[in-house]
Amino acid sequence: MVGRSILHPALRQLPSPDLFVGCCIVRLRIPGSRSLKDKRQVLRSLLQRIKNKFDVAVAEIGDNNAWQITTIGVVSVSNQSHHAGETIDAV
């Protein structure tokens, strides 16, 4: 898994910042998948577990038609920058 945390530069320039967005892009390989149906079954379960455990928004954002590879995006919104970053780092 490869991921990175990003705090959008425009949010750092707000006069009174009380909205912070942390986001992460993760590229995954699903070696046991032999069809899009297999991949989507695994992905549906994974996305639901991430949502439930970390209270974040998560969705498949790329490689939609590849059988064994997917790219997902994870977003956390908070009124504290460190909380948004820590949540994304935990994912």
Side-chain angles (χ1 to χ4, degrees):
M1 267 188 339
V2 176
R4 63 177 192 222
S5 297
I6 303 170
L7 182 60
H8 194 279
L11 294 176
R12 292 188 213 129
Q13 298 173 2
L14 292 173
S16 60
D18 40 27
L19 174 70
F20 295 93
V21 178
C23 66
C24 178
I25 298 171
V26 181
R27 192 143 194 233
L28 300 171
R29 184 169 181 267
I30 306 169
S33 175
R34 287 183 265 156
S35 68
L36 286 175
K37 186 176 180 179
D38 287 347
K39 172 189 165 182
R40 291 194 176 117
Q41 182 179 6
V42 170
L43 193 57
R44 189 177 312 119
S45 173
L46 176 65
L47 297 182
Q48 192 61 49
R49 284 188 286 154
I50 292 171
K51 286 179 189 180
N52 292 342
K53 184 172 182 177
F54 299 103
D55 194 25
V56 294
V58 60
E60 183 179 21
I61 60 170
D63 301 309
N64 296 31
N65 293 320
W67 291 4
Q68 294 186 336
I69 297 173
T70 188
T71 303
I72 62 172
V74 182
V75 178
S76 173
V77 178
S78 178
N79 62 349
Q80 298 175 358
S81 64
H82 72 276
H83 182 262
E86 287 174 357
T87 301
I88 293 300
D89 288 341
V91 172

